[in-house]
Amino acid sequence: MKRFWADLHVHSRFARATSRNLDLEHLALGSAEKGIQLVATGDCTYPAWRQEMKERLYAEGNGLFRLKPEIERPLMATLPSGCQKEVRFIISGEISTIYKKGDKTRKVHHLVYHSSFDAADRFAEKLAKIGNIVSDGRPILGLDSRDLLEITLESGKDSWLAPAHIWTPWFSALGSKSGFDSIEECYGDLASHIFAAETGLSSDPEMNWRVSSLDRYRLISSSDAHSPAKLGREATLFSCEMGFQPLRHALETGEGYVGTVEFFPEEGKYHADGHRNCHIRLNPKETLALDGLCPVCGKPLTIGVAHRVEMLADREEAIPPATAGEVSSLIPLPEILGELLGVGSTSRKVAERYTESLRVLGSEMAILHHVPLEEMQAIHPLLEEAIRRLRAGKVIRQAGYDGEYGVIRLFEKEEMEKLTKGGLLFPVTEMVKPSRRPITKTSLPSDDNRAFQASPNLPNVDREDLARDIPNYPMLSTLDSDQKAAALITDKALMVLAGPGSGKTKMLTQRIAHLIQKKAIPAEKCLLLTFTRRATDELKARVKQLLPETESPPIIHSFHSLALDMLKKDSKAFGLAADFRIVDPQSLKKAFMEMSNLSSKRADEALERFSLLKKSGEVGDLEEEILRQSLENLKQDNHWLDFDDLLIKVVNGLENNASLREKWATAFSFLSVDEFQDIDIWQYRLVWLLTGRNTQLTVIGDPDQAIYHFRGADSECFTRLQQDFPEIVCRRLNRNYRSMADIVAAANRIMPENKGQALRGQGDKILLYLASDEADEARFVVQKIEELMGGHDMLTAQNGKNTAKSQETAFGFRDFSVLYRHNFQAKAFEKAFNQAGIPFRKTAPIPITCHLAVKAFIEKIEQSPQETLQDRLIVLKNITTELAQENQGEEAVLSPADREQAYSWLKIIAEKSGQQSHTFFLEQIALANEVDFHDQRGDRVSLMTMHASKGLEFSAVFVTGLEEENFNLHHQPDNPTEIAEEKRLFYVALTRARDYLFLSYAKKRFIYGEYQKQTTAAFLNLLKDMLVTETPKKRLFNDRKAQYSLF
DNA sequence: GTCTGAGAACTTTTT
DNA sequence: GTTCTCAGAC
């Protein structure tokens, strides 16, 4: 079988910091020049690159691809005859995963391979749900390595994955900085699907052979080329048939695998340990003897790759395992020529001689490996000797360290001088290899001194409480005294005023679990009411954790879903048509606009106004009322209900029908309402109606966090409740388990009435950033996130004790949240995050019905109602085909991507709807938001409005846009209700933070097409003395360049 | 009625 | 910068 070289790791021009001419043609050309016959496509998740591949490549039928003949033929003709060998492509890509696992932030790069465009498409489609795959050819995803492997395996039957450059400290499976101690640990239960690992430029197989856990992996070497010139600088040699399967088989079994060509690892920038500035270069043993400290400056040394090998090594000598292949080391021909000519390897002289070499001698691999030595004379008198020494491994190595490139030479300086003067060659002095002697293994620095933990410890005082408290309630065992006292009140109406981070959800869930378990209250008699679907989901999840599997869970609803459920169950009694359904706001608006001839904006205004009128019971002017009535008629004719109707119909129905009311007032014996401060009058009435003689009512909330007054929330609800339930017991939870003391202190400044009690450590000072504009503000956020995730701080030594304080906590993307007052402020952050490759999730609820394609589907679904899942799926498939036919050629309204997107959403909804009715299915579509479909495995930074952040918490929170203009919307400086609500909103925002709180405002902001001067929000003055302020730094690089170094 | 251009107003927060 | 409105011209 003929041997061939493969370069299995390259990039396209769509990856960051790559050459602009990295297209398929240049990849083929470059490979041919180097003598590479199989080259990776790279970047296979990038849509435009995949498109290019589909246009220019054809499948050979063996899982590999080749340039179409009409492209390849003229291309190859431009090459010297010795290089004219066909080049195959293998579909591949590199994925960077960044996530938190254990107590470390992990950053691992992976290589994936697919044998068809289908598999690559599926793979990309799945990753698109996890994060952003269009901002970079090598996407950064907040995804566990194991999950990435799973997605790879699901994408195609023979798709495979290998960890990339496994020893690089910052981004690899075994990296000292952010990796694991073994490949198995990295990929968890799926690790058995890994059969190959890439060694990377700064390690060679010999280093790997010291680590027995790597014995089972076949090693591959590749160039990781960012430009055509770098292709094939490392490569893997095969002797199998040319094909995807044979290649995979070779790596799995060794059959057809020959070995690798490597750089001399010493050439890498971080091979040895040391300090560049102090001119100290050490081998790992020397470093250990010095306790990792620099003998010159006393600071921790920068640890190199060789050191990490020592740490994980469990063999004293490098013993080739059974999987080992042949290994040869090389120096790129341009470097050799540079040395011989006494010029730089990128000089024109070298380039000329290089071209000449290819013409006369053949491809670079051939020259370096097997072109007969005597032919070298034609190029340079010393090339023969140079290549002889290279092939014999007799080279001079100076290891790189602390960012300084290593130097590999073939001739000593003096020797070179003599030789060029025509002197005789003399034997090369034996090069001293870097120490391979055994070194005492040291353990990794422990992370035990972390300043805090994710789950708060109870203060001592409460531990005592627990000891003497009624011991018999295991369900309540982790509650503090106040929480427990509240939880145990079950015979009277209860009102709990709970400050931020006081553990109210914990109290609530444990209480319910306790009731169900200990008091034997039937779960279906317990009702928990929330405002949002998200809160509902969270409560469900947390209750589920508390209750044993066998126990049925309590009923958990949002107000609206409860109302819908009630209307469904008793539609007749509520006076509704049996086939009523919720109309999604888009459809309603559309119908309303058609009916009324109003503009989009006016229609929005009218609908909003009607909603307020309806909720408050007020009456508008005559004209309004006429329009409103026709809207009501429109809904009636279509059997539509909007969100407001749900509650109003239920309340009116119960109030007007005694037996119906009796039924529902006895339906639940325990009724708990969360976030009570945001309740509106209809919700209040519903609660009242559901509370019968034997219903125990519990409400939980925080008046300081009331932020929905504008929407009709009734700020007097707590007072009113006390009037309606004179018996009610009121409890306060003021301990703040969530936030560091400085954050609690800031919150107390804003709301001095109800001071929270800080229980955690002091924490960092709150930082206030004075951004010059919104782009600068976004840049600040990006930079802070990177800093906290330990992105690129090359000077932080792995075992140093002086690591940045950010190293105390490991961060995943989900630990960060960026909050703003208005949705439009998200734009600057989205842009900056995309540029930096930080995955984010914007939780602005965009209904999927906003999409034309979804609307097109809905129209057709309505025409063909189905009642079973199977039929529904068939209909969806048919519609897809129909829409594809309707959208051909120039006239197409919907792109294939739009259609596929809509189809995949609707399919998921159909599957979730199961055998439910047609109207239920349509309702689910109407209510679905884009965010509902994000793959939960994806770890992302959250972007959301301050309102949306209610009830959430994050390790690090950025409260942005703190300008008066953002908070004083009607420019009425003396509207006390509004000012108070905005202040509460700010309070909600800053109390979301657990560990780090960053505030920022912009001096000017681009609004309405021009920069507008902004003024600092008034309430920031309250915090003045407790903030550390930071101002924009002068930036040395332009944006784009600066971005390249990150992650 | 329909077209055009100038000028005004504008982007809250959501089940 | 965009969208909408209104007045005035056709």
Side-chain angles (χ1 to χ4, degrees), chain A residues 565-612:
Chain A
D565 192 53
M566 292 169 71
L567 293 176
K568 281 268 171 64
K569 285 192 171 127
D570 289 317
S571 59
K572 214 179 226 167
F574 280 111
L576 292 174
D579 63 341
F580 81 88
R581 68 181 180 89
I582 301 176
V583 59
D584 68 278
Q586 276 68 42
S587 312
L588 183 66
K589 182 181 160 190
K590 192 179 151 206
F592 180 55
M593 279 170 69
E594 276 166 17
M595 183 197 80
S596 63
N597 266 325
L598 289 177
S599 73
S600 164
K601 208 182 245 176
R602 282 288 165 88
D604 282 333
E605 278 166 18
L607 287 169
E608 196 168 319
R609 168 113 177 109
F610 294 166
S611 167
L612 278 175

Side-chain angles (χ1 to χ4, degrees), chain A residues 404-635:
Chain A
E404 181 91 31
Y405 273 109
V407 182
I408 306 295
R409 278 177 294 130
L410 292 159
F411 301 96
E412 294 286 3
K413 277 226 170 69
E414 321 79 73
E415 183 192 8
M416 194 58 142
E417 278 160 22
K418 275 189 193 164
L419 286 171
T420 44
K421 279 182 209 144
L424 288 168
L425 291 169
F426 58 87
V428 183
T429 36
E430 209 42 55
M431 174 59 201
V432 185
K433 273 195 164 192
S435 162
R436 296 278 189 196
R437 275 165 296 161
I439 284 170
T440 343
K441 270 179 68 180
T442 52
S443 58
L444 285 165
S446 90
D447 266 359
D448 285 345
N449 55 353
R450 293 170 60 205
F452 47 78
Q453 294 172 329
S455 61
N457 286 318
L458 296 180
N460 290 336
V461 54
D462 292 306
R463 292 227 175 89
E464 285 165 28
D465 278 358
L466 293 181
R468 73 178 135 80
D469 238 328
I470 314 109
N472 242 355
Y473 299 133
M475 273 300 163
L476 305 177
S477 61
T478 60
L479 298 184
D480 71 28
S481 54
D482 291 351
Q483 291 165 341
K484 191 181 274 188
L488 288 172
I489 298 169
T490 51
D491 51 348
K492 294 188 204 88
L494 171 66
M495 174 197 290
V496 182
L497 302 178
S502 60
K504 74 179 163 78
T505 310
K506 185 174 165 191
M507 193 280 278
L508 191 61
T509 47
Q510 296 204 7
R511 181 166 183 256
I512 291 283
H514 170 69
L515 283 173
I516 293 173
Q517 282 243 290
K518 270 280 164 294
K519 297 238 167 175
I521 308 286
E524 69 274 12
K525 298 292 265 183
C526 293
L527 174 64
L528 267 165
L529 277 179
T530 65
F531 277 79
T532 62
R533 277 189 292 166
R534 192 189 57 212
T536 309
D537 292 344
E538 197 197 330
L539 278 182
K540 279 182 184 164
R542 287 178 65 165
V543 170
K544 197 178 165 195
Q545 278 187 339
L546 290 173
L547 287 174
E549 295 258 331
T550 49
E551 202 82 63
S552 61
I555 315 289
I556 301 176
H557 268 302
S558 71
F559 273 103
H560 289 85
S561 73
L562 172 72
L564 178 61
D565 192 53
M566 292 169 71
L567 293 176
K568 281 268 171 64
K569 285 192 171 127
D570 289 317
S571 59
K572 214 179 226 167
F574 280 111
L576 292 174
D579 63 341
F580 81 88
R581 68 181 180 89
I582 301 176
V583 59
D584 68 278
Q586 276 68 42
S587 312
L588 183 66
K589 182 181 160 190
K590 192 179 151 206
F592 180 55
M593 279 170 69
E594 276 166 17
M595 183 197 80
S596 63
N597 266 325
L598 289 177
S599 73
S600 164
K601 208 182 245 176
R602 282 288 165 88
D604 282 333
E605 278 166 18
L607 287 169
E608 196 168 319
R609 168 113 177 109
F610 294 166
S611 167
L612 278 175
L613 285 176
K614 189 153 64 174
K615 283 201 276 193
S616 66
E618 286 168 40
V619 179
D621 61 35
L622 185 63
E623 210 179 324
E624 277 174 341
E625 285 303 315
I626 293 171
L627 195 55
R628 196 175 140 191
Q629 193 51 53
S630 39
L631 175 66
E632 287 306 313
N633 293 342
L634 177 76
K635 291 196 303 188

Side-chain angles (χ1 to χ4, degrees), chain A residues 977-997:
Chain A
T977 333
E978 221 167 89
I979 290 174
E981 177 138 317
E982 299 294 335
K983 199 166 138 189
R984 288 195 297 268
L985 186 59
F986 178 55
Y987 177 74
V988 167
L990 60 88
T991 52
R992 300 308 94 199
R994 284 201 298 261
D995 309 317
Y996 293 90
L997 176 61

Side-chain angles (χ1 to χ4, degrees), chain A residues 999-1030:
Chain A
L999 310 177
S1000 61
Y1001 67 84
K1003 285 186 202 136
K1004 59 182 192 314
R1005 208 169 267 280
F1006 196 76
I1007 316 172
Y1008 309 146
E1010 60 187 340
Y1011 278 106
Q1012 310 211 342
K1013 233 184 138 202
Q1014 303 288 102
T1015 44
T1016 321
F1019 47 61
L1020 266 186
N1021 277 330
L1022 296 168
L1023 307 179
K1024 222 174 188 172
D1025 58 297
M1026 52 197 315
L1027 304 175
V1028 178
T1029 50
E1030 196 179 307

Side-chain angles (χ1 to χ4, degrees), chain A residues 46-67:
Chain A
Y46 199 84
W49 184 235
R50 259 196 342 275
Q51 190 55 42
E52 206 166 308
M53 281 152 56
K54 288 175 192 170
E55 282 164 15
R56 301 177 167 252
L57 302 179
Y58 71 94
E60 277 196 309
N62 55 7
L64 301 179
F65 296 79
R66 203 167 147 183
L67 277 173

Side-chain angles (χ1 to χ4, degrees), chain A residues 964 967-980 1018:
Chain A
E964 199 59 20
F967 290 87
N968 188 354
L969 300 158
H970 296 141
H971 308 286
Q972 305 164 321
D974 45 357
N975 182 339
T977 333
E978 221 167 89
I979 290 174

